[in-house]
Amino acid sequence: MAADPRFFATAGPHSLAAIAAAAGAGDVPDGARLFAGVAPLQTAGPDDVSFLDNRRYAAALATSRAGAVVIAAAMAGKVPAGCIPLVTSQPYLGFARVATLFHPQPKARPGVHPGAVIGAGAEIGEGCEIGAYAVVGAGAVLGKGCILEPHAVVGAGVVLGARCRIHSHASICHAIAGDEVVLNAGARIGGEGFGFATDATTGRHVTVPQVGRVILGDGCEIGANSTVDRGSGGDTVLGPGCRLDNLVQIGHNVRLGKGCVIVAMAGIAGSVTLGDYVVVAAQGGIAGHVTVGDRARIGAQAGVMQDVEAGTDVLGSPAQPSREKWRQIAVLRRLATAAIEAERKAAVQKVAGQGRTDSERNDGTREQG
Amino acid sequence: MAADPRFFATAGPHSLAAIAAAAGAGDVPDGARLFAGVAPLQTAGPDDVSFLDNRRYAAALATSRAGAVVIAAAMAGKVPAGCIPLVTSQPYLGFARVATLFHPQPKARPGVHPGAVIGAGAEIGEGCEIGAYAVVGAGAVLGKGCILEPHAVVGAGVVLGARCRIHSHASICHAIAGDEVVLNAGARIGGEGFGFATDATTGRHVTVPQVGRVILGDGCEIGANSTVDRGSGGDTVLGPGCRLDNLVQIGHNVRLGKGCVIVAMAGIAGSVTLGDYVVVAAQGGIAGHVTVGDRARIGAQAGVMQDVEAGTDVLGSPAQPSREKWRQIAVLRRLATAAIEAERKAAVQKVAGQGRTDSERNDGTREQG
Amino acid sequence: MAADPRFFATAGPHSLAAIAAAAGAGDVPDGARLFAGVAPLQTAGPDDVSFLDNRRYAAALATSRAGAVVIAAAMAGKVPAGCIPLVTSQPYLGFARVATLFHPQPKARPGVHPGAVIGAGAEIGEGCEIGAYAVVGAGAVLGKGCILEPHAVVGAGVVLGARCRIHSHASICHAIAGDEVVLNAGARIGGEGFGFATDATTGRHVTVPQVGRVILGDGCEIGANSTVDRGSGGDTVLGPGCRLDNLVQIGHNVRLGKGCVIVAMAGIAGSVTLGDYVVVAAQGGIAGHVTVGDRARIGAQAGVMQDVEAGTDVLGSPAQPSREKWRQIAVLRRLATAAIEAERKAAVQKVAGQGRTDSERNDGTREQG
């Protein structure tokens, strides 16, 4: 089953030769054979290209009706009869490129909806598509081929590079963005950071004016309803190619290097610095002013309170090197099991001796009340 | 005190007989007596119906001025003089039905605001209410009696069943929804999933086109600012009657069975499958590709990394069966207490012997620095 | 480097005397000297005022070119030559006031955009600024000098005090707000709480009509994309001066005292009561119906399941007094280290004796699979 045509246009058909080239696979027989689209193993038909990247889905491969599959050499032997293996060292990457053949990024349909509001002095680049009720503030500058979906708001003075896509209800202010930046629906860029001083005498919170900006490098993509606060005095900076998932929070003055990946619901507090290609898994958190080195990986739900060295994996709250954390988990499990055993034995002895004590053996379950 | 009339219309008054019938309570004396509304125990007056479901509020019952109270048999004896007990086996459910008598769902006020934009070929069902600046994309289909609040955006090709309510600023695209689906303010349905392949050589992230949909079963309700990504190739599916609280994240290709309850700030990663009536408590997380069986309950802040069997309760991060987790918590508390005791004794002995050592007894507090 | 003039107007210049007075510093020499703005230590020039509050940045002070710096007495001696120390007991508070001299809150530019929709009977106070496509519902009342940014939605009957600022795409309904309340972009106030009763027989969830309100005290500020649900029957109440960061969730019937600080991604479940000046750190959670006393501090990622006494610090999930939690962390680390040591010794002995056993020594790493 190909993509629902109500929602997705499909380019093609494409020849197997073109598909193999996109996938980074070697020569294929029957290169002129045409394919209509891409689909998951479970629903692909003979005209579709699929992929296998996760061994977990090897069973789905065995019964797949896909006409071709992008796959690693080690798994190519498992391709069922009638399915052509497109062997490549990075199958998911190869598939990404094949799928993009069939589903290229939608291009801007140039024009400004009559309901859009364009502020004084704003510059709209050639070929931009500005949707219904989009608002572009005074003096803002949009590069060529940008798409503003309905209800997108670009604040006064904001600069967007070429081919940016601002989805519906997203808003950006106090910011400079590079080329091909994507804001998914409801993303909030450039809001006032959480900056206030609390008067120790009165308890009153006094706002510190937040007069920095957000700088988004080329190709940054921000997930739906995520929030990136502007700097307090300097800037909040996302290096080129960073990917933020949905509902992510980036505090003021944070600096991300190149290609960082911040998974859903992770939060990075103010003045944190991340190197290049750092991964923060879902619901992870990093406390203020911490520095994390290149290619470090912060585990899901981890709580980082201290600097993390480059290349390190950390887990837990507070976060620790993953090996240590797993060791601790194992030790604690063993101790709990031993405690249960000891209690059982003691109980048996008590019954045998008909003894009664104010045993503590319910410590654990009592906590549940 | 009844509901603030600036915000809530109240139907009624209703007779005690009708109220008792809605509550699922048996026969009541004085069935013709009229009641004006519902209110919490603390603020209800003699014309109001209230309820008691949580024993924690038994004290509030004793001093309540409510004219009638929906209550379980076991607590009925505690109703104060002058208050009529409406006894039912499920008091909160009974109250839900009584409250709905007085506050039925608002009905659509048919009409399309002149500021709304309706795309080419879109079909608007009979009796729909389309608010100011709502946008309905080309070819979208709305069932009878839908309400689109101001600034709601329904994308091209989207199908909504009958009596759906899309609150202000919510958006839905690439999706098929059943009847009586509710999107609270700012909910984002159908966004691009977090799908990209990272080139191992260059570190560059390459988007995988996300060409699946979101399918929302009848009666699904999505909380404010929650996000549900569309499938990558197949669909993201929520079974009928699922309830998502605010700020929830559902990744691409996730499948929820019937009646699942996902509490605020919980996140479900890509390709997770949940059975029917699964509960994920607040801030819980489920890692990608995991399967959770029917009626399993995932605790608040739990981090599920492995499959969970039907009917199981899990807690902790990483999540474990709740009994085991509580046992571990108790064992660790006991060990920490014992360590403090041992250190105290050692300190006393040292003072007695005037000894000095490089004791490690500050291990714990040193961590706080 | 001063604030980017594309985004920030700067008032001034201001005299050193005026600046010192705002900072709460004592007499200064050369009080007539003029300063142009504020900037961080790293980028400030001779015309800028900066501050030092966190010793972590002492190195930046040593090389700063700032003309003056707001600073505590203990650090004043470290100010480099040519930089004037403005000594005060609360440097960050002093800086907040100095920065506000240069960057006062933007004032409303009175007027209603022709694209705004004002409902029947709504009252718009003197000097309000109503942006493009803002929607004000029937009967709503706005105090003097409010700012509604583009796409802000104020629901029917809502009351806003004077000088409130509703940023773009924020929405508020079923609510009464005091003076100088701020809703950042995408904030959702007054949504339907997560209230339903589940029929134990059928598993069906039945909505309980949510007929309470949200009451926001003077000076409350709500972060971007945060959500505050209205009460179910009574009200959800935020005392004056509360500050909520981005992506915070407040459930129905919650009551916050004065000046509470709820950091990003923290969630407070239904019917929780917080005293005055409580701090909930990032990603913390509080379970339903819990009471937290004045000035208690809930740690980042903590999960509070029981009442917390005034003035207490808690940490961990489930949350415990911070000292106990740190002690437990230390004890567990020590045990894990000891286990590794014991295994190493056993391994050495085994090699020595060429013995073989079904050792459990891989327990820890096995978990990683």
Side-chain angles (χ1 to χ4, degrees):
Chain A
M1 192 188 73
D4 187 331
R6 286 175 290 187
F7 303 122
F8 303 98
T10 302
H14 294 289
S15 72
L16 185 58
I19 291 164
D27 276 353
V28 285
D30 200 7
R33 180 171 158 188
L34 292 175
F35 282 79
V38 291
L41 288 169
Q42 295 86 342
T43 58
D47 288 344
D48 293 324
V49 184
S50 192
F51 76 105
L52 179 75
D53 190 53
N54 187 332
R55 279 157 191 277
R56 194 189 277 259
Y57 294 103
L61 175 63
T63 58
S64 180
R65 296 172 54 245
V69 62
V70 186
I71 198 163
M75 296 296 288
K78 312 240 165 161
V79 166
C83 174
I84 301 164
L86 301 169
V87 175
T88 175
S89 60
Q90 298 193 60
Y92 193 44
L93 179 65
F95 179 74
R97 294 193 165 128
V98 170
T100 303
L101 272 187
F102 289 101
H103 301 285
Q105 279 298 355
K107 287 226 169 69
R109 292 163 298 183
V112 176
H113 190 281
V117 172
I118 311 294
E123 300 173 24
I124 308 294
E126 196 184 316
C128 285
E129 169 183 347
I130 313 286
Y133 305 126
V135 173
V136 178
V141 178
L142 275 62
K144 290 183 184 177
C146 288
I147 300 177
L148 268 56
E149 289 195 351
H151 293 266
V153 171
V154 175
V158 165
V159 177
L160 302 182
R163 296 174 305 283
C164 291
R165 283 179 289 140
I166 316 296
H167 286 268
S168 63
H169 298 106
S171 56
I172 179 169
C173 61
H174 308 98
I176 310 289
D179 295 339
E180 300 186 351
V181 164
V182 177
L183 306 186
N184 281 287
R188 311 282 163 220
I189 309 298
E192 190 176 78
F194 203 51
F196 55 85
T198 302
D199 188 326
T201 315
T202 63
R204 218 183 144 196
H205 309 305
V206 177
T207 295
V208 176
Q210 304 285 301
V211 294
R213 305 169 301 179
V214 175
I215 310 294
L216 299 174
D218 292 343
C220 280
E221 305 202 1
I222 312 294
N225 285 350
S226 288
T227 56
V228 180
D229 285 341
R230 67 180 184 261
S232 59
D235 295 323
T236 302
V237 181
L238 276 65
C242 286
R243 299 262 177 157
L244 275 56
D245 201 350
N246 299 343
L247 294 169
V248 163
Q249 151 73 356
I250 306 287
H252 56 190
N253 309 323
V254 166
R255 291 183 169 252
L256 307 190
K258 278 187 296 189
C260 290
V261 173
I262 316 293
V263 186
M265 299 175 144
I268 302 185
S271 302
V272 165
T273 301
L274 266 57
D276 296 337
Y277 305 111
V278 172
V279 176
V280 184
Q283 297 178 325
I286 305 182
H289 301 276
V290 158
T291 297
V292 177
D294 293 349
R295 293 179 196 274
R297 300 196 306 176
I298 313 302
Q301 300 186 327
V304 175
M305 300 170 68
Q306 295 179 310
D307 290 355
V308 175
E309 283 182 30
T312 315
D313 285 16
V314 300
L315 266 188
S317 177
Q320 303 170 64
S322 297
R323 290 205 108 202
E324 287 178 32
K325 181 70 191 168
W326 281 117
R327 172 73 60 180
Q328 290 168 21
I329 290 166
V331 164
L332 185 54
R333 278 185 183 160
R334 216 184 295 162
L335 289 168
T337 306
I340 294 168
E341 260 322 291
E343 284 163 21
R344 252 184 228 146
K345 280 185 195 160
V348 168
Q349 287 181 326
K350 253 182 278 168
V351 170
Q354 303 199 344
R356 288 180 71 192
T357 75
D358 288 326
S359 161
E360 287 188 319
R361 77 169 182 276
N362 290 319
D363 257 8
T365 48
R366 230 185 266 149
E367 308 290 339
Q368 295 180 60
Chain B
M1 191 189 73
D4 187 331
R6 287 176 289 186
F7 302 122
F8 303 98
T10 302
H14 294 289
S15 71
L16 185 58
I19 291 165
D27 277 353
V28 283
D30 201 8
R33 179 171 160 187
L34 293 176
F35 282 80
V38 292
L41 287 169
Q42 295 85 342
T43 58
D47 288 343
D48 293 324
V49 183
S50 193
F51 76 105
L52 178 75
D53 190 53
N54 188 332
R55 278 157 191 279
R56 193 188 276 259
Y57 293 104
L61 174 64
T63 57
S64 180
R65 296 173 53 246
V69 63
V70 186
I71 198 163
M75 296 296 289
K78 313 241 165 157
V79 166
C83 174
I84 302 165
L86 300 170
V87 176
T88 174
S89 60
Q90 297 194 62
Y92 194 44
L93 179 64
F95 179 74
R97 294 192 166 129
V98 171
T100 304
L101 272 188
F102 288 101
H103 300 285
Q105 279 298 353
K107 286 226 168 69
R109 293 163 297 183
V112 178
H113 190 281
V117 173
I118 311 294
E123 300 174 24
I124 308 295
E126 196 185 316
C128 285
E129 170 183 345
I130 313 287
Y133 305 126
V135 173
V136 178
V141 178
L142 274 62
K144 290 183 185 176
C146 288
I147 299 177
L148 269 56
E149 288 194 351
H151 294 265
V153 172
V154 175
V158 165
V159 177
L160 301 182
R163 295 175 304 283
C164 291
R165 283 179 288 142
I166 315 297
H167 286 267
S168 63
H169 298 106
S171 55
I172 179 168
C173 61
H174 308 98
I176 311 290
D179 294 340
E180 299 186 352
V181 164
V182 176
L183 306 186
N184 281 288
R188 311 284 164 220
I189 308 299
E192 189 175 80
F194 202 53
F196 55 85
T198 302
D199 188 328
T201 316
T202 63
R204 221 188 138 191
H205 308 305
V206 177
T207 295
V208 177
Q210 303 286 302
V211 294
R213 306 169 301 181
V214 174
I215 310 295
L216 299 175
D218 292 343
C220 281
E221 305 202 0
I222 312 294
N225 285 350
S226 288
T227 56
V228 180
D229 284 343
R230 66 180 184 262
S232 60
D235 295 323
T236 301
V237 180
L238 276 64
C242 287
R243 300 262 175 156
L244 275 56
D245 201 349
N246 299 343
L247 294 168
V248 162
Q249 151 73 358
I250 306 287
H252 56 189
N253 310 322
V254 166
R255 291 182 170 250
L256 306 191
K258 279 187 294 190
C260 290
V261 172
I262 316 293
V263 186
M265 301 176 142
I268 303 186
S271 302
V272 165
T273 300
L274 265 57
D276 295 337
Y277 304 111
V278 172
V279 175
V280 184
Q283 297 179 326
I286 305 183
H289 301 276
V290 160
T291 296
V292 177
D294 293 349
R295 294 179 195 274
R297 300 195 307 176
I298 313 301
Q301 300 187 328
V304 175
M305 301 171 67
Q306 295 179 310
D307 291 355
V308 176
E309 284 183 29
T312 316
D313 285 14
V314 300
L315 266 189
S317 177
Q320 303 170 64
S322 298
R323 289 205 109 202
E324 287 178 32
K325 182 68 191 169
W326 282 117
R327 172 72 60 179
Q328 290 168 20
I329 290 166
V331 164
L332 185 53
R333 279 186 182 159
R334 218 184 294 164
L335 289 167
T337 305
I340 294 168
E341 259 322 291
E343 285 163 20
R344 250 184 229 147
K345 280 186 194 160
V348 167
Q349 288 181 327
K350 254 182 276 168
V351 170
Q354 303 197 344
R356 289 182 70 192
T357 75
D358 288 327
S359 160
E360 287 187 318
R361 76 168 182 277
N362 290 320
D363 257 7
T365 48
R366 228 184 267 150
E367 307 289 337
Q368 296 179 61
Chain C
M1 192 188 74
D4 187 332
R6 287 176 290 186
F7 302 122
F8 302 97
T10 302
H14 294 288
S15 71
L16 185 58
I19 291 165
D27 277 353
V28 284
D30 201 6
R33 179 170 160 189
L34 291 176
F35 282 79
V38 292
L41 287 169
Q42 294 88 342
T43 58
D47 288 342
D48 293 324
V49 184
S50 194
F51 77 105
L52 179 75
D53 190 53
N54 188 333
R55 277 157 192 278
R56 194 187 275 259
Y57 294 103
L61 175 63
T63 58
S64 179
R65 296 174 51 245
V69 62
V70 186
I71 198 163
M75 297 296 290
K78 312 240 166 160
V79 165
C83 175
I84 301 166
L86 300 170
V87 176
T88 174
S89 58
Q90 298 193 62
Y92 193 44
L93 178 65
F95 179 74
R97 294 193 166 129
V98 171
T100 304
L101 272 187
F102 290 101
H103 300 287
Q105 279 298 354
K107 286 228 170 67
R109 294 164 296 183
V112 177
H113 190 281
V117 172
I118 311 294
E123 299 173 26
I124 308 294
E126 196 185 316
C128 285
E129 169 183 347
I130 314 286
Y133 305 126
V135 173
V136 177
V141 178
L142 274 62
K144 290 183 184 178
C146 288
I147 300 177
L148 269 56
E149 287 194 352
H151 294 265
V153 171
V154 175
V158 165
V159 177
L160 301 183
R163 296 174 304 283
C164 291
R165 283 179 290 140
I166 315 296
H167 286 268
S168 64
H169 298 105
S171 55
I172 178 169
C173 61
H174 307 97
I176 310 289
D179 294 340
E180 299 185 353
V181 164
V182 178
L183 307 185
N184 281 286
R188 310 285 164 218
I189 308 299
E192 189 175 81
F194 202 52
F196 55 85
T198 303
D199 187 327
T201 316
T202 64
R204 220 186 141 192
H205 308 304
V206 177
T207 295
V208 177
Q210 304 285 302
V211 294
R213 306 169 301 181
V214 174
I215 311 295
L216 299 175
D218 292 343
C220 280
E221 305 202 1
I222 312 294
N225 285 349
S226 287
T227 55
V228 179
D229 284 341
R230 67 180 183 262
S232 59
D235 295 323
T236 302
V237 180
L238 276 65
C242 286
R243 300 262 175 157
L244 275 56
D245 200 350
N246 299 343
L247 294 169
V248 163
Q249 151 73 358
I250 305 288
H252 56 190
N253 309 324
V254 166
R255 290 180 171 252
L256 306 191
K258 279 187 293 190
C260 290
V261 173
I262 316 293
V263 186
M265 301 176 143
I268 303 186
S271 302
V272 165
T273 300
L274 265 57
D276 296 337
Y277 304 111
V278 171
V279 176
V280 184
Q283 298 179 326
I286 305 183
H289 301 277
V290 159
T291 296
V292 177
D294 293 349
R295 293 179 197 274
R297 301 196 306 177
I298 313 302
Q301 301 187 328
V304 175
M305 299 170 68
Q306 295 179 309
D307 291 354
V308 176
E309 283 183 30
T312 315
D313 285 16
V314 301
L315 267 189
S317 178
Q320 303 169 64
S322 297
R323 290 205 107 202
E324 287 178 32
K325 182 70 190 168
W326 281 118
R327 172 72 61 178
Q328 291 168 21
I329 292 166
V331 163
L332 185 54
R333 278 185 183 160
R334 216 184 295 164
L335 288 168
T337 307
I340 294 170
E341 259 322 292
E343 284 162 20
R344 251 185 229 146
K345 279 186 197 161
V348 168
Q349 287 181 326
K350 254 181 278 170
V351 170
Q354 302 198 345
R356 289 181 70 192
T357 74
D358 287 329
S359 161
E360 287 188 318
R361 77 166 182 278
N362 288 320
D363 258 8
T365 49
R366 228 185 267 149
E367 307 290 337
Q368 296 180 62

